[in-house]
Amino acid sequence: MTLIDDRRDSAIVWQPEKGEAGRQLWTDIVSVNMTSMTSGKDIVNNCRINFRDGRFLVVTDGGPSGEVDHDRTPVYRDFVRALHLRLAQAPAGTIAFNAGASAGRHRLMVATGVFAALFFVGTPLVLVFIVRDWRVLLTLAAGAAFIWPFWKVIEANRPRSYDPRQPPGELMD
């Protein structure tokens, strides 16, 4: 990935490991959408750049397997910050900057998270009163520890717009 500063010909250029190289002018960018996802272990961040012709480019700190590649995270973060620094100079309203999932997807994520919390945290909590054994609290703690990363991702992916001068840090780190 390379950002080229050349006035009217300023562009983003990429060469994937497999596939076709690409080049798009910054003036062809219509929106930038930042999201994150988790496998339950680590959080993988994505920055989707949508172009006027319908094409898009996804930049991520994930490796080929889809899991986070911690060596890529600082490179990803630096690229996203540099891109936003340049795009912040575009006339207001020409590029939409969105963070998070779509409203429908976020509602589904919240519903799934609530169901999982009831199952993994609520059930052990009820069992504490039924069984009256402190060891059930260990199950409660394990359930809470299991649910916590998913809640962080659900909150980070709350749909919203943002100012390109201040991209959402929780979707870059």
Side-chain angles (χ1 to χ4, degrees):
M1 304 285 301
T2 306
L3 298 175
I4 300 172
D5 292 316
D6 190 18
R7 292 186 196 73
R8 292 177 53 111
D9 292 327
S10 294
I12 182 170
V13 178
W14 64 92
Q15 174 64 52
E17 293 173 10
K18 296 178 183 176
E20 186 178 321
R23 181 180 193 277
Q24 291 281 156
L25 296 175
W26 294 352
T27 55
D28 290 337
I29 297 173
V30 293
S31 67
V32 175
N33 189 335
M34 295 182 62
T35 59
S36 64
M37 61 185 164
T38 183
S39 62
K41 182 180 170 188
D42 288 314
I43 294 175
V44 178
N45 299 297
N46 297 300
C47 178
R48 179 179 164 137
I49 305 163
N50 297 301
F51 300 106
R52 197 170 314 287
D53 62 4
R55 292 175 29 174
F56 63 90
L57 175 66
V58 177
V59 182
T60 181
D61 63 355
S65 68
E67 295 289 322
V68 71
D69 179 343
H70 294 289
D71 293 336
R72 290 183 186 209
T73 300
V75 176
Y76 167 81
R77 185 182 318 117
D78 291 346
F79 172 81
V80 169
R81 285 188 179 137
L83 175 69
H84 280 78
L85 230 144
R86 287 163 172 88
L87 296 181
Q89 298 171 16
T94 57
I95 301 173
F97 294 93
N98 300 303
S102 67
R105 185 172 183 186
H106 189 258
R107 279 192 296 273
L108 181 61
M109 290 168 69
V110 169
T112 303
V114 167
F115 178 76
L118 287 172
F119 184 76
F120 290 108
V121 177
T123 303
L125 187 60
V126 169
L127 285 174
V128 165
F129 295 106
I130 294 172
V131 176
R132 297 187 187 269
D133 186 355
W134 68 269
R135 289 177 288 197
V136 177
L137 292 176
L138 297 174
T139 307
L140 175 71
F146 177 74
I147 293 297
W148 180 247
F150 294 103
W151 277 111
K152 283 178 35 181
V153 169
I154 290 169
E155 177 54 30
N157 282 292
R158 179 180 40 83
R160 64 203 180 277
S161 59
Y162 65 91
D163 184 330
R165 294 171 296 191
Q166 296 176 337
E170 71 275 10
L171 296 173
M172 291 192 297
D173 297 327

